[in-house]
Amino acid sequence: MMKQLLTIFLLTFASLAALAQDNAPQPIDGTDCSNLFFQAMLDENAAAVGNLISNDFTVTNYNGQTIDGRALQQAIGQGYIIVDSGMLTGTRTRTYGDVAVVQGFWNVSARIQNNGFSGNVAYTSVCVRSGGKWKVTTVQLTPAQ
């Protein structure tokens, strides 16, 4: 009897978790997709980031190093990346059918493994509509002078 209750509880929890993921806001276009990605970073919400990125997602940091989507989600989930504040400005989007190139500035204060950074970062994100859903495929971050 106890095993049955535990099984029912686990199945219910799994289905509720799946519903919660399905109820996440879906981007309406490339700009929205990029904005929601940066909001998820600000919220330190690894699940929301996971819902917004493509399977082959990469982010390129200031040093030219790339991080894949799984590593980014783990870093957020484990508290290695902490975004204290962030505001997007100067957003400009160029859309080519199912591809959007979004550029702008992110005034951010963040810590990566306790190494703090505060300042303006120029960003480029590429978002692609596939299967009717917008996903971020890559993000490039460069310190702005």
Side-chain angles (χ1 to χ4, degrees), residues 59-67 112 115 117 121 139-143:
V59 60
T60 304
N61 70 13
Y62 315 142
N63 302 326
Q65 298 170 323
T66 59
I67 303 165
I112 300 174
N115 293 318
F117 174 84
V121 175
V139 174
Q140 168 86 39
L141 302 169
T142 306

mmCIF file of all heavy atoms in Angstrom, residues 59-67 112 115 117 121 139-143:
data_model
loop_
_atom_site.group_PDB
_atom_site.id
_atom_site.type_symbol
_atom_site.label_atom_id
_atom_site.label_comp_id
_atom_site.label_asym_id
_atom_site.label_seq_id
_atom_site.Cartn_x
_atom_site.Cartn_y
_atom_site.Cartn_z
ATOM 1 N N VAL A 59 26.849 29.964 -25.215
ATOM 2 C CA VAL A 59 27.101 31.355 -24.868
ATOM 3 C C VAL A 59 28.616 31.538 -24.914
ATOM 4 O O VAL A 59 29.369 30.685 -24.449
ATOM 5 C CB VAL A 59 26.515 31.753 -23.489
ATOM 6 C CG1 VAL A 59 27.066 30.941 -22.359
ATOM 7 C CG2 VAL A 59 26.712 33.238 -23.227
ATOM 8 N N THR A 60 29.048 32.637 -25.531
ATOM 9 C CA THR A 60 30.470 32.947 -25.622
ATOM 10 C C THR A 60 30.747 34.124 -24.693
ATOM 11 O O THR A 60 30.126 35.183 -24.814
ATOM 12 C CB THR A 60 30.870 33.302 -27.069
ATOM 13 O OG1 THR A 60 30.487 32.216 -27.922
ATOM 14 C CG2 THR A 60 32.366 33.528 -27.176
ATOM 15 N N ASN A 61 31.688 33.918 -23.771
ATOM 16 C CA ASN A 61 31.970 34.960 -22.785
ATOM 17 C C ASN A 61 33.061 35.907 -23.263
ATOM 18 O O ASN A 61 33.531 35.821 -24.396
ATOM 19 C CB ASN A 61 32.316 34.334 -21.427
ATOM 20 C CG ASN A 61 33.661 33.619 -21.423
ATOM 21 O OD1 ASN A 61 34.479 33.753 -22.325
ATOM 22 N ND2 ASN A 61 33.895 32.847 -20.380
ATOM 23 N N TYR A 62 33.486 36.795 -22.376
ATOM 24 C CA TYR A 62 34.454 37.848 -22.697
ATOM 25 C C TYR A 62 35.779 37.303 -23.199
ATOM 26 O O TYR A 62 36.469 37.959 -23.961
ATOM 27 C CB TYR A 62 34.758 38.703 -21.464
ATOM 28 C CG TYR A 62 33.558 39.119 -20.660
ATOM 29 C CD1 TYR A 62 33.614 39.157 -19.277
ATOM 30 C CD2 TYR A 62 32.372 39.494 -21.268
ATOM 31 C CE1 TYR A 62 32.527 39.560 -18.520
ATOM 32 C CE2 TYR A 62 31.279 39.890 -20.524
ATOM 33 C CZ TYR A 62 31.371 39.923 -19.153
ATOM 34 O OH TYR A 62 30.302 40.316 -18.427
ATOM 35 N N ASN A 63 36.158 36.131 -22.714
ATOM 36 C CA ASN A 63 37.456 35.549 -23.074
ATOM 37 C C ASN A 63 37.387 34.666 -24.308
ATOM 38 O O ASN A 63 38.365 34.013 -24.651
ATOM 39 C CB ASN A 63 38.012 34.729 -21.899
ATOM 40 C CG ASN A 63 38.172 35.564 -20.653
ATOM 41 O OD1 ASN A 63 38.484 36.748 -20.733
ATOM 42 N ND2 ASN A 63 37.931 34.962 -19.508
ATOM 43 N N GLY A 64 36.220 34.604 -24.941
ATOM 44 C CA GLY A 64 36.064 33.764 -26.119
ATOM 45 C C GLY A 64 35.755 32.317 -25.787
ATOM 46 O O GLY A 64 35.676 31.476 -26.673
ATOM 47 N N GLN A 65 35.562 32.017 -24.519
ATOM 48 C CA GLN A 65 35.216 30.652 -24.111
ATOM 49 C C GLN A 65 33.722 30.429 -24.303
ATOM 50 O O GLN A 65 32.920 31.334 -24.074
ATOM 51 C CB GLN A 65 35.585 30.417 -22.647
ATOM 52 C CG GLN A 65 37.057 30.552 -22.361
ATOM 53 C CD GLN A 65 37.347 30.543 -20.870
ATOM 54 O OE1 GLN A 65 36.586 31.084 -20.086
ATOM 55 N NE2 GLN A 65 38.454 29.932 -20.492
ATOM 56 N N THR A 66 33.365 29.223 -24.725
ATOM 57 C CA THR A 66 31.951 28.904 -24.906
ATOM 58 C C THR A 66 31.490 27.950 -23.815
ATOM 59 O O THR A 66 32.254 27.125 -23.316
ATOM 60 C CB THR A 66 31.678 28.288 -26.289
ATOM 61 O OG1 THR A 66 32.451 27.101 -26.426
ATOM 62 C CG2 THR A 66 32.009 29.251 -27.406
ATOM 63 N N ILE A 67 30.223 28.104 -23.484
ATOM 64 C CA ILE A 67 29.565 27.256 -22.492
ATOM 65 C C ILE A 67 28.287 26.759 -23.138
ATOM 66 O O ILE A 67 27.550 27.545 -23.745
ATOM 67 C CB ILE A 67 29.244 28.052 -21.213
ATOM 68 C CG1 ILE A 67 30.518 28.662 -20.628
ATOM 69 C CG2 ILE A 67 28.516 27.193 -20.203
ATOM 70 C CD1 ILE A 67 30.254 29.739 -19.599
ATOM 71 N N ILE A 112 30.302 35.348 -10.784
ATOM 72 C CA ILE A 112 30.513 34.007 -11.310
ATOM 73 C C ILE A 112 31.580 33.370 -10.436
ATOM 74 O O ILE A 112 32.738 33.816 -10.444
ATOM 75 C CB ILE A 112 30.942 34.033 -12.792
ATOM 76 C CG1 ILE A 112 29.858 34.715 -13.621
ATOM 77 C CG2 ILE A 112 31.215 32.619 -13.299
ATOM 78 C CD1 ILE A 112 30.227 34.939 -15.066
ATOM 79 N N ASN A 115 33.523 35.775 -8.348
ATOM 80 C CA ASN A 115 34.238 36.836 -9.053
ATOM 81 C C ASN A 115 33.199 37.823 -9.560
ATOM 82 O O ASN A 115 32.399 37.487 -10.424
ATOM 83 C CB ASN A 115 35.056 36.277 -10.227
ATOM 84 C CG ASN A 115 36.195 35.397 -9.759
ATOM 85 O OD1 ASN A 115 36.872 35.734 -8.800
ATOM 86 N ND2 ASN A 115 36.377 34.277 -10.415
ATOM 87 N N PHE A 117 31.424 41.166 -11.282
ATOM 88 C CA PHE A 117 31.502 42.022 -12.458
ATOM 89 C C PHE A 117 30.333 42.984 -12.398
ATOM 90 O O PHE A 117 29.209 42.594 -12.088
ATOM 91 C CB PHE A 117 31.423 41.213 -13.757
ATOM 92 C CG PHE A 117 31.346 42.101 -14.973
ATOM 93 C CD1 PHE A 117 32.502 42.620 -15.542
ATOM 94 C CD2 PHE A 117 30.128 42.461 -15.527
ATOM 95 C CE1 PHE A 117 32.443 43.474 -16.637
ATOM 96 C CE2 PHE A 117 30.049 43.311 -16.629
ATOM 97 C CZ PHE A 117 31.214 43.810 -17.183
ATOM 98 N N VAL A 121 27.557 45.535 -20.734
ATOM 99 C CA VAL A 121 27.978 44.445 -21.609
ATOM 100 C C VAL A 121 27.196 44.570 -22.918
ATOM 101 O O VAL A 121 25.973 44.703 -22.896
ATOM 102 C CB VAL A 121 27.677 43.076 -20.950
ATOM 103 C CG1 VAL A 121 27.996 41.935 -21.885
ATOM 104 C CG2 VAL A 121 28.418 42.933 -19.640
ATOM 105 N N VAL A 139 24.398 33.228 -27.574
ATOM 106 C CA VAL A 139 24.537 34.561 -26.995
ATOM 107 C C VAL A 139 26.024 34.880 -26.925
ATOM 108 O O VAL A 139 26.826 34.040 -26.526
ATOM 109 C CB VAL A 139 23.928 34.634 -25.571
ATOM 110 C CG1 VAL A 139 24.214 35.984 -24.913
ATOM 111 C CG2 VAL A 139 22.430 34.380 -25.605
ATOM 112 N N GLN A 140 26.384 36.088 -27.360
ATOM 113 C CA GLN A 140 27.767 36.574 -27.301
ATOM 114 C C GLN A 140 27.770 37.780 -26.361
ATOM 115 O O GLN A 140 26.968 38.701 -26.535
ATOM 116 C CB GLN A 140 28.237 36.994 -28.691
ATOM 117 C CG GLN A 140 29.532 37.767 -28.716
ATOM 118 C CD GLN A 140 30.750 36.894 -28.745
ATOM 119 O OE1 GLN A 140 30.745 35.886 -29.419
ATOM 120 N NE2 GLN A 140 31.784 37.267 -28.026
ATOM 121 N N LEU A 141 28.671 37.786 -25.385
ATOM 122 C CA LEU A 141 28.776 38.870 -24.419
ATOM 123 C C LEU A 141 30.152 39.514 -24.525
ATOM 124 O O LEU A 141 31.172 38.824 -24.510
ATOM 125 C CB LEU A 141 28.572 38.347 -22.995
ATOM 126 C CG LEU A 141 27.241 37.641 -22.733
ATOM 127 C CD1 LEU A 141 27.277 36.943 -21.383
ATOM 128 C CD2 LEU A 141 26.092 38.613 -22.804
ATOM 129 N N THR A 142 30.179 40.852 -24.611
ATOM 130 C CA THR A 142 31.433 41.583 -24.734
ATOM 131 C C THR A 142 31.379 42.807 -23.824
ATOM 132 O O THR A 142 30.417 43.585 -23.923
ATOM 133 C CB THR A 142 31.654 42.048 -26.201
ATOM 134 O OG1 THR A 142 31.561 40.921 -27.056
ATOM 135 C CG2 THR A 142 33.005 42.719 -26.356
ATOM 136 N N PRO A 143 32.368 43.011 -22.957
ATOM 137 C CA PRO A 143 32.356 44.228 -22.131
ATOM 138 C C PRO A 143 32.347 45.473 -23.015
ATOM 139 O O PRO A 143 33.091 45.547 -23.989
ATOM 140 C CB PRO A 143 33.667 44.147 -21.339
ATOM 141 C CG PRO A 143 34.098 42.731 -21.411
ATOM 142 C CD PRO A 143 33.546 42.176 -22.702
#
